[in-house]
Amino acid sequence: EQEHGLAERDLHALLERALAGLPARTRSIFIMHRFNEMAYREIHHELGISVATVEYHMMRALAHIRIELAGQSDHP
């Protein structure tokens, strides 16, 4: 259980670092969707941007996070 808690904290720290590397708008949209559980349409209305723009920022965020986490798996 202690090992699980440590791994969860490590993953949380990695995610925070990856999010910090995103542009502010992309980070905000990712947080709105993933953590605040807002649908793309809700974000579109909230920010006054198109759904396609929300999709673009989400794809950008997910690609960045995937690359960051993959890079960390190379380092024990």
Side-chain angles (χ1 to χ4, degrees):
E1 191 172 307
Q2 182 179 5
E3 196 172 302
H4 175 70
L6 180 61
E8 190 174 319
R9 283 192 299 273
D10 289 346
L11 183 58
H12 184 73
L14 288 172
L15 180 58
E16 281 195 15
R17 279 199 303 270
L19 289 176
L22 290 170
R25 178 73 143 202
T26 303
R27 182 175 49 252
S28 293
I29 290 170
F30 180 84
I31 290 169
M32 291 170 86
H33 180 64
R34 288 296 171 109
F35 297 116
N36 299 341
E37 300 180 358
M38 293 176 70
Y40 285 9
R41 283 199 159 296
E42 292 173 308
I43 297 169
H44 141 79
H45 286 295
E46 177 83 18
L47 298 180
I49 59 177
S50 71
V51 172
T53 301
V54 175
E55 292 171 345
Y56 165 79
H57 283 285
M58 282 302 297
M59 287 188 294
R60 186 175 181 189
L62 292 169
H64 174 77
I65 291 166
R66 189 176 307 115
I67 289 167
E68 289 293 313
L69 294 180
Q72 291 302 315
S73 69
D74 295 340
H75 301 96

